[in-house]
Amino acid sequence: WPSRLNLPQRDPGREILGTRLRDHVDAIRKSKADAKIILLGDYNDEPFDAAIADNLMATRDRALAERRKHLLYNPFWRHFSSTIEDAADSLGDHGSYFHKAGESTQWRTFDQMIFSSSFLGSTHWQLVERSTRVLDIPAYTALVKTAKSCFDHLPIIGQIQRRTLENG
């Protein structure tokens, strides 16, 4: 997914990228409707940007994604808080990408994991929502915030777990 330096935020090409990725998801789901799909990476777009939310069809609404199987679920919508007092108890994160010269925010949620609905309902493999987050390691975060460092993204982590289903 190109940097916003090479493909600006409002360039229609970004939406085409979301559409083409969606085409691949649809092709997989056409061959297996309940395919377990995880998309992850540095999208250089936030969850609410059109390429992700509209073209890729990655919603923040977990219940809707459970009912409408064509939708993807993006738990990284909840990572927009501005401070973390205690990362272990935090319900949100400040973001994964630091941009010191940001005009409206210095933190962006460019790094995301996006899940097919087959991780949300009554299947063996389940998304563990509380474990899906931006990993904030203070020493690494300090590197990300330092202009002299070549690092500008924090890592993200997630967890899925296998569970035993009743009656099967």
Side-chain angles (χ1 to χ4, degrees):
W1 215 270
S3 164
R4 287 184 175 186
L5 295 174
N6 299 322
L7 192 62
Q9 178 180 4
R10 289 181 175 61
D11 190 296
R14 298 192 86 74
E15 293 186 41
I16 291 169
L17 289 169
T19 300
R20 294 295 73 87
L21 184 54
R22 181 64 208 202
D23 290 344
H24 288 288
V25 168
D26 289 343
I28 293 167
R29 293 195 72 246
K30 185 176 182 181
S31 66
K32 185 175 181 185
D34 64 343
K36 293 176 181 42
I37 300 169
I38 301 174
L39 306 173
L40 61 117
D42 172 7
Y43 291 95
N44 287 305
D45 278 318
E46 298 215 57
F48 53 79
D49 286 319
I52 304 294
D54 299 331
N55 300 89
L56 185 55
M57 291 189 266
T59 182
R60 68 181 184 171
D61 190 329
R62 183 181 174 121
L64 189 62
E66 284 183 55
R67 287 193 317 273
R68 297 185 180 169
K69 303 298 185 189
H70 71 284
L71 292 175
L72 300 170
Y73 175 61
N74 188 344
F76 281 82
W77 274 90
R78 73 175 194 278
H79 298 270
F80 294 118
S81 63
S82 61
T83 60
I84 297 176
E85 295 299 324
D86 180 357
D89 293 330
S90 177
L91 296 176
D93 299 304
H94 46 65
S96 64
Y97 170 77
F98 184 73
H99 180 65
K100 186 174 184 171
E103 292 182 25
S104 62
T105 185
Q106 292 183 312
W107 285 101
R108 303 278 183 188
T109 304
F110 284 170
D111 304 271
Q112 302 160 55
M113 291 181 193
I114 302 168
F115 298 85
S116 62
S117 61
S118 57
F119 288 102
L120 306 177
S122 58
T123 66
H124 286 289
W125 290 102
Q126 295 292 300
L127 168 65
V128 180
E129 185 106 17
R130 71 182 176 281
S131 298
T132 304
R133 61 180 310 122
V134 176
L135 188 58
D136 187 12
I137 301 168
Y140 192 77
T141 302
L143 278 176
V144 167
K145 293 172 80 174
T146 302
K148 295 178 184 177
S149 171
C150 62
F151 298 105
D152 59 0
H153 290 256
L154 293 174
I156 59 174
I157 60 172
Q159 181 182 359
I160 56 173
Q161 77 180 40
R162 184 168 171 83
R163 68 179 185 156
T164 304
L165 297 177
E166 294 179 23
N167 301 324

